[in-house]
Amino acid sequence: MVGFAQRQMLEFDGSPTMVELLVPLFAELYEQTGFTRKDIGFWCSGSSDYLAGRSFSFVSAVDAIGALPPVNESHVEMDAAWALYEAWVKIQTGEIDTALVYGFGKSSAGVLRRTLALQLDPYTMTPLWPDSVSLAGLQARLGIEAELWDETAMASVAQRSLTDAETNPHAVRRGGSSVEELLARPMYADPLRKHDCAPVTDGASAIVLAADDRARDAAERPAWITGLAHNVDPLQLGARDLTASKSATRAAESAVIDDVEVAELHAPFSHQELILRHALGLASDVRINPSGGALTSNPMFTAGLNRIGEAADRIRNGEVTRALGHATSGPLLQQNLVCVMDGATK
Amino acid sequence: MTTSQARTLSAPLRVSFDYTRSVGPTLGAFFAGLRERRLVAGRLADGSVVLPPPEFDPATHEPVTDFVEVGPAGTVQSWTWVPEPVAEQPFDRPFAWALVLLDGATAPFLHALDIPYDDLRVGMRVRARWVNEPVGAITDIACFEKLRDQEDPPRDAAGDPPTHGRLITPVNLDYTYAASPEESAFFRGLEQGRILGQRCPACGKVYVPPRGACPVDGVPTTDEVELPGTGTVTTFCIVNVPFLGQKITPPYVSAYVLLDGADIAFLHLILGIEASEVRMGMRVEAVWRPRDEWGTTVENISHFAPTDEPDADFESYKVHL
């Protein structure tokens, strides 16, 4: 990992292809790495046309690359963290030694919590249009009833996130107060208050990967990926324990997350951070989401990639040696990806 | 389109489509049951009873074939409140969703509750309320409602499940669709009777409609270029097939017109000439609608019509095909 650039806002005043955001993002990455677009061996993006109603938006977005002569390019309809996974696998095969991974999404163009009902079972769930906030509310109460967490623990997550976001210029929501003050705020999707739910966020971001000497040339202190794995739980919400995350546990086992000092967890709802901390088996001294996390900025299709970028930046600036970035996709933490990075030279 | 303080133009956009799906033997049994007001769950290899039945066992990956009727009463395991319902949910006023553990099932089932906020409790007993004419869809259950004390929930006699093959799910999505800043400049130009393109500062190519970045160089196209209404047909298609929403009676011609000075052709209609007479290289000009009908739309140009000029030489447009 040798470069990371991000942009977030509550409402992007521009087209769903976000070409006008991607061009300056790529320029920033060329500046960071010294690469030009001709140095990039593979381009991979994450986005979805359902978000803003523009068909083939990922094809239009390729304009931002400048694709003549033709480029080696791919796309996933998932958070761009999975595009990073595809690029990493391609690097492992030896076919390429550099890749630029990007994602973009204009959530504000539609009603995001309703649009996300399209990722549910299309026969037995989508026709009822269960919105994503309601599903999270049902999940949160299951955990409260089982005494796995309580409203105070949820508010503590929000309080820490809002406080940490004060130093993150990219956060769209920030400003902590106190757990007591947060608990005094009105319910929204009972038992969730608004600060328990990630803000609807527009944005784009990109990461540059490079192998071996290409990485050493591009960055003074690359964040070396030592483990990258993803796993998935069944789509049927009745066929899995919603208060746990087996897929996150399995991904963490594959990626070997021992000794991480910082973990950036992609938890769009406060109680989901509590599920993930438990599922990943993180020690109590691991610093969680120093960026403020998804509760303070949750651009669809890049919030997961941003967790990896934020964790990598802590290594690249020398703050820590070993860090974890996590991404989720699908309803209620159905799919989970874990990326472990190390600053020690290979 | 609305012109506001924003740098871009935007307009409402509705995307609608019906998904027609066939259901296999597992979901077929579930939907056939719903049509008879019965809840048909699947028994998995580990003994759990799940509603709706998953098509494949998540642990063994075998097809689920062991069906068992559950409910129609059950217990609320979790609930949440929807203060601001979204379109096409079971209720258009604030309501609750619940995970209901139906009697005989081991995993919860998601549906709406018709129970006031202040009465909601985990552990409360509820039963399915059916619509008047079930068709074999998840929406055959209107919602769940309170089960009164001592009440035996009504149930229909169980028979052989009828076969059930097809399910149609309409999807309607509403967006506020924004044009890019470059496209917005193009549409605002059209409102004044001007055709505006942009030139790539790197390769010099002129794009109309303008794009956010030159697809060759990946740099913003910054220089505005006004183009004339005259151009050359590079390639065309005679439309003979009627389709939904068609505005002109076939046959008619849809063509790529390379405006003089542009490097990318522009798709529009060719009228004022027999379809069979249209040819590559034909010189054409824009025919504008009356000025009082103009808006921020490409429809300000009604169509392109032939000029008296001789056809353009193939060499002059071959790189633009």
Side-chain angles (χ1 to χ4, degrees):
Chain A
M1 251 254 4
V2 294
F4 171 49
Q6 58 177 320
R7 299 280 189 285
Q8 275 100 243
M9 63 286 294
L10 286 172
E11 278 187 49
F12 173 61
D13 178 21
S15 80
T17 69
M18 294 195 146
V19 166
E20 59 266 46
L21 268 192
L22 292 171
V23 168
L25 274 177
F26 294 172
E28 196 176 320
L29 289 175
Y30 301 147
E31 178 77 30
Q32 281 184 31
T33 58
F35 290 159
T36 70
R37 67 191 171 98
K38 297 205 161 47
D39 290 306
I40 305 297
F42 180 56
W43 303 77
C44 199
S45 63
S47 71
S48 172
D49 289 351
Y50 284 111
L51 213 55
R54 165 90 174 226
S55 54
F56 291 103
S57 54
F58 74 95
V59 177
S60 304
V62 170
D63 274 10
I65 299 173
L68 198 81
V71 295
N72 188 358
E73 185 264 342
S74 184
H75 175 261
V76 297
E77 186 133 345
M78 297 185 77
D79 189 286
W82 275 264
L84 182 137
Y85 185 86
E86 181 176 336
W88 177 77
V89 168
K90 221 175 175 67
I91 288 174
Q92 302 306 301
T93 67
E95 186 186 328
I96 50 161
D97 57 10
T98 54
L100 193 151
V101 175
Y102 63 100
F104 61 94
K106 187 178 172 178
S107 303
S108 68
V111 181
L112 178 64
R113 63 195 167 103
R114 181 173 186 271
T115 306
L116 289 176
L118 292 171
Q119 62 184 346
L120 301 168
D121 181 285
Y123 303 90
T124 64
M125 292 189 74
T126 303
L128 299 173
W129 294 95
D131 57 281
S132 56
V133 174
S134 293
L135 290 180
L138 291 168
Q139 183 184 39
R141 190 180 307 282
L142 282 177
I144 292 170
E145 287 295 319
E147 297 183 0
L148 297 170
W149 59 77
D150 57 22
E151 289 179 23
T152 303
M154 290 159 59
S156 301
V157 170
Q159 165 63 12
R160 193 208 63 232
S161 303
L162 291 165
T163 305
D164 284 340
E166 286 169 19
T167 52
N168 180 356
H170 299 289
V172 302
R173 183 191 277 172
R174 59 169 72 88
S177 50
S178 69
V179 170
E180 295 68 33
E181 194 275 326
L182 291 178
L183 286 172
R185 291 183 189 176
M187 283 289 183
Y188 183 64
D190 193 337
L192 301 177
R193 294 170 174 84
K194 284 199 171 174
H195 55 253
D196 292 309
C197 313
V200 174
T201 316
D202 294 344
S205 71
I207 279 181
V208 179
L209 298 180
D212 304 320
D213 285 344
R214 294 304 300 269
R216 290 183 194 96
D217 289 347
E220 213 162 283
R221 186 174 152 91
W224 299 99
I225 296 174
T226 62
L228 181 53
H230 71 97
N231 211 288
V232 59
D233 283 310
L235 176 62
Q236 290 82 14
L237 298 184
R240 62 177 164 118
D241 177 0
L242 296 176
T243 62
S245 179
K246 277 189 187 168
S247 59
T249 302
R250 285 198 208 102
E253 283 165 3
S254 304
V256 187
I257 68 165
D258 303 356
D259 303 324
V260 297
E261 296 150 77
V262 162
E264 281 280 343
L265 306 180
H266 183 194
F269 297 93
S270 58
H271 67 278
Q272 292 181 343
E273 182 190 299
L274 302 171
I275 295 175
L276 288 168
R277 275 155 59 174
H278 185 74
L280 299 173
L282 294 173
S284 57
D285 61 348
V286 175
R287 178 98 160 86
I288 308 287
N289 287 353
S291 70
L295 282 183
T296 65
S297 246
N298 189 38
M300 290 298 298
F301 297 93
T302 54
L305 188 73
N306 287 351
R307 304 280 71 73
I308 297 173
E310 289 281 0
D313 275 358
R314 311 254 158 207
I315 293 173
R316 298 205 300 145
N317 68 19
E319 201 177 307
V320 300
T321 301
R322 207 165 148 76
L324 177 156
H326 159 270
T328 194
S329 192
L332 302 182
L333 303 176
Q334 187 202 0
Q335 304 163 58
N336 292 284
L337 178 147
V338 170
C339 179
V340 182
M341 292 159 285
D342 205 304
T345 312
K346 274 205 295 188
Chain B
M1 289 199 176
T2 53
T3 309
S4 67
Q5 305 293 57
R7 65 177 180 149
T8 60
L9 293 168
S10 63
L13 170 72
R14 164 165 277 209
V15 178
S16 301
F17 38 94
D18 287 353
Y19 279 115
T20 303
R21 294 188 171 91
S22 56
V23 295
T26 308
L27 285 172
F30 172 68
F31 288 117
L34 291 179
R35 207 164 50 186
E36 297 191 326
R37 298 186 173 89
R38 297 191 294 122
L39 296 168
V40 177
R43 195 190 309 274
L44 307 185
D46 65 1
S48 58
V49 176
V50 179
L51 182 80
E55 291 183 282
F56 296 92
D57 190 304
T60 66
H61 309 142
E62 292 296 319
V64 172
T65 55
D66 187 5
F67 299 115
V68 46
E69 189 173 340
V70 297
T75 304
V76 170
Q77 278 196 331
S78 182
W79 59 267
T80 189
W81 190 246
V82 189
E84 299 169 303
V86 296
E88 298 177 84
Q89 287 187 327
F91 295 99
D92 59 7
R93 39 113 176 135
F95 72 99
W97 292 106
L99 292 172
V100 177
L101 186 65
L102 287 148
D103 296 345
T106 61
F109 176 69
L110 174 84
H111 218 294
L113 294 181
D114 185 12
I115 295 173
Y117 181 75
D118 290 337
D119 294 357
L120 293 165
R121 286 185 329 279
V122 168
M124 71 191 306
R125 296 283 292 161
V126 294
R127 68 170 197 191
R129 181 198 296 163
W130 299 89
V131 298
N132 289 332
E133 291 176 26
V135 295
I138 191 69
T139 44
D140 288 345
I141 305 169
C143 61
F144 279 75
E145 60 190 8
K146 276 185 200 170
L147 182 69
R148 314 281 164 197
D149 292 344
Q150 312 294 325
E151 181 187 14
D152 239 356
R155 57 196 307 162
D156 288 9
D160 290 334
T163 54
H164 187 91
R166 218 165 63 118
L167 189 73
I168 297 175
T169 308
V171 170
N172 302 296
L173 299 167
D174 287 298
Y175 300 103
T176 299
Y177 189 89
S180 71
E182 295 77 15
E183 290 162 342
S184 298
F186 172 71
F187 290 122
R188 285 176 174 133
L190 285 169
E191 196 176 25
Q192 298 156 13
R194 304 166 71 203
I195 304 173
L196 299 178
Q198 280 189 320
R199 191 190 312 275
C200 170
C203 68
K205 285 195 167 60
V206 172
Y207 298 100
V208 60
R211 319 162 73 114
C214 172
V216 175
D217 298 294
V219 296
T221 51
T222 42
D223 309 339
E224 193 170 277
V225 180
E226 182 162 357
L227 294 157
T230 53
T232 303
V233 172
T234 58
T235 184
F236 64 95
C237 158
I238 301 178
V239 180
N240 288 300
V241 183
F243 56 85
L244 192 70
Q246 197 169 39
K247 289 178 179 169
I248 303 169
T249 312
Y252 63 91
V253 176
S254 212
Y256 272 111
V257 175
L258 183 69
L259 294 176
D260 296 334
D263 287 286
I264 194 160
F266 186 79
L267 187 65
H268 219 299
L269 295 167
I270 306 294
L271 298 176
I273 182 171
E274 284 297 315
S276 59
E277 301 285 311
V278 175
R279 58 207 178 270
M280 290 171 72
M282 190 172 82
R283 295 285 296 160
V284 292
E285 65 183 345
V287 177
W288 292 76
R289 289 183 197 280
R291 180 175 284 265
D292 57 1
E293 292 175 20
W294 289 354
T296 48
T297 166
V298 75
E299 289 179 9
N300 295 356
I301 300 173
S302 152
H303 60 275
F304 281 78
T307 67
D308 299 332
E309 296 166 85
D311 286 2
D313 186 20
F314 180 70
E315 293 296 316
S316 71
Y317 61 86
K318 72 172 185 185
V319 298
H320 298 293
L321 286 173

